[in-house]
Amino acid sequence: MRQRLQGAMLAVGLLILVSCTTIPKPASTGLLAGLTITVDAGHGHTRKTDHGRVGPSGEREEWVNLRIARELQKLLRQNGAKVIMTREKDEDVNLAARASIAISNQSDFLISIHHNGSFNDTTLDFPLAYIWGDAERNPASVDLGRAILNRVDQKLKFQSGDGSGVYSDFLIYNEGTSILRNTNPILPGVIGEMGFFTNAAGEARMKDRQANHLEAQAYLQGLIDYAARGIPKAIPLKPVGSDFLRPDSPEIIFQLEDGQGGHAFDSGSIAVLVDGDTVPHEWDRVTGRLVATPPRCAHETVEVRVYGRNENGNALHPRRWDFLTMIGKENDWHGPWYVAIQRADSLRVLLNPADRDFAVKLDSTILWFERVLKAQSINPRGAEAEYRLGQLYEMRADWLKDDLAKEKALDHFNRVIAFYPTSKFVQPAKDEKVVLEEVF
Ligand SMILES: [Zn+2]
């Protein structure tokens, strides 16, 4: 029995060995190796609801998008990239989920594949790429969009190619498109609209599998061209992890990498923005260290973005870094809920409006009750914390004539009723009835 089993295992082993040797090696150029690219096939499963995204002979945009996305997935993998697909079949994936798929997979780039339509002018047929916002704020996405369009213009024939270019998605919506707006704080991305399905020749091209392949190749080549100029990165060195901007040494330090193994940047292009304002910096081109000192601020966090171009002209993606200040660090509670409620309650019973620093103590008490819920939203004294917050915010509203506090009080009382329907805090004790009158 054992011998037979061993024989069988040996046969399986050989089989694996044989099949392994027949897998073709990917023809990797190396430039995309190690990158994670999210490929988003626009729309999906809207046949019954969306009668607009369809060409004159019935080809639907979402089908074309998916075919090209799959081709691109294959080509990118052959080139050593890790590919994340937001959808792989004719299904509807909501826009927020598409963005979070790209972010949670730590993608380096987002490519969202679409095709354009115009029922006003069916002669239109040219490719374009959208970026979020504007060129000044989003330079790396512009670089990437331009690189892809160069290859698309080369590989595909368009009826009216003159409009080809990178456009801002603010031309479509005031705040831009959902997927680009939501991914932009972390990674660069483009929406490609490669031709118009409302144009008969455009639609014919989109139905042609060979043209689909060429379009996917254009994306691939564009990405390779872009990567060949080096993908610059700004890596935070200070503060890192749970550290914060200490008042005695508030400088922020980044390591700038040009994407080609060095630190070759155009020094005039480097800028550090803290909460939207440029702050002074020092740049060491030998070590690649960039040191900036933010002004003192009274917020819990500062928002930092680094701009710059490597010597080949590729821009850093100015991703958003939020660093804790000392105030933020002090308020950054990670303790358990039961410690927080003990502290909160001991502060609450000592509150006295006659105290000179009543307002500060009140805010501190509010903060501790908020920590109870932040530490664990479902806990045995959650209803109590919500109810106390309602009371404390009412106090704040009366004391500081703060209308926002009045709204917050009502919010917390409503939450007690909605989320803890059987809690004793829903039915107030007699002396506390006044507080809840508005709610019922
Ligand atoms: Zn579309």
Side-chain angles (χ1 to χ4, degrees), residues 47 117 140 153 171 224 278 283 288 344 385:
R47 194 174 190 175
D153 287 337
L171 296 170
I224 292 174
T278 308
W283 157 242

Side-chain angles (χ1 to χ4, degrees), residues 18-128:
V18 169
S19 65
C20 277
T21 56
T22 59
I23 293 172
K25 270 196 166 172
S28 173
T29 64
L31 283 165
L32 304 183
L35 293 177
T36 301
I37 298 169
T38 289
V39 176
D40 170 51
H43 317 291
H45 197 60
T46 60
R47 194 174 190 175
K48 292 203 179 85
T49 52
D50 187 343
H51 306 292
R53 283 175 233 280
V54 52
S57 84
E59 184 71 0
R60 297 187 60 79
E61 185 205 335
E62 58 199 348
W63 301 340
V64 183
N65 297 344
L66 183 58
R67 282 202 300 275
I68 289 162
R70 280 179 160 159
E71 279 282 308
L72 180 57
Q73 175 191 31
K74 201 166 70 192
L75 294 173
L76 287 170
R77 279 184 178 160
Q78 284 168 2
N79 280 270
K82 181 178 171 190
V83 183
I84 308 295
M85 302 287 281
T86 57
R87 69 177 177 103
E88 292 196 71
K89 53 179 196 274
D90 189 20
E91 64 178 334
D92 187 15
V93 178
N94 79 49
L95 294 171
R98 292 173 197 245
S100 83
I101 288 168
I103 292 169
S104 62
N105 284 287
Q106 297 176 324
S107 309
D108 296 287
F109 300 100
L110 167 79
I111 305 285
S112 181
I113 293 177
H114 284 256
H115 294 81
N116 227 333
S118 167
F119 294 99
N120 296 333
D121 185 353
T122 56
T123 67
L124 291 181
D125 181 33
F126 61 87
L128 64 91

Side-chain angles (χ1 to χ4, degrees), residues 185-348:
I186 310 291
L187 63 142
V190 297
I191 293 177
E193 301 264 9
M194 302 315 177
F196 283 63
F197 54 78
T198 39
N199 174 272
E203 188 199 29
R205 182 181 59 247
M206 290 172 207
K207 285 168 75 172
D208 175 23
R209 301 304 191 262
Q210 186 53 30
N212 291 165
H213 181 69
L214 286 176
E215 190 174 323
Q217 271 191 330
Y219 275 104
L220 171 75
Q221 277 302 325
L223 275 157
I224 292 174
D225 294 345
Y226 172 80
R229 294 192 291 270
I231 302 166
K233 283 237 156 28
I235 302 149
L237 299 181
K238 178 178 175 289
V240 286
S242 60
D243 205 2
F244 62 100
L245 299 174
R246 292 165 193 276
D248 54 340
S249 97
E251 66 278 3
I252 294 169
I253 305 175
F254 283 91
Q255 177 74 27
L256 298 198
E257 301 289 346
D258 62 11
Q260 302 205 300
H263 320 293
F265 274 80
D266 166 10
S267 59
S269 70
I270 296 172
V272 181
L273 269 72
V274 176
D275 291 337
D277 293 323
T278 308
V279 299
H281 69 259
E282 278 171 36
W283 157 242
D284 184 332
R285 61 166 54 242
V286 180
T287 62
R289 283 211 168 192
L290 175 69
V291 181
T293 308
R296 265 173 199 282
C297 86
H299 314 297
E300 293 196 340
T301 57
V302 289
E303 182 191 306
V304 179
R305 293 176 198 260
V306 181
Y307 289 81
R309 286 188 183 275
N310 71 14
E311 285 195 341
N312 296 325
N314 261 10
L316 281 168
H317 180 62
R319 68 161 285 175
R320 173 183 160 167
W321 299 95
D322 289 301
F323 296 124
L324 279 180
T325 62
M326 196 171 78
I327 297 168
K329 186 67 186 174
E330 279 171 0
N331 292 347
D332 197 25
W333 167 258
H334 296 294
W337 66 268
Y338 47 86
V339 173
I341 199 156
Q342 274 170 0
R343 181 81 199 273
D345 221 35
S346 63
L347 288 170
R348 183 184 66 85

Side-chain angles (χ1 to χ4, degrees), residues 395-414:
M395 267 192 221
R396 200 176 198 287
D398 290 344
W399 189 259
L400 300 171
K401 304 285 167 248
D402 175 356
D403 285 343
L404 194 67
K406 204 172 270 176
E407 281 174 34
K408 284 193 169 179
L410 199 59
D411 264 3
H412 285 290
F413 289 136
N414 282 331

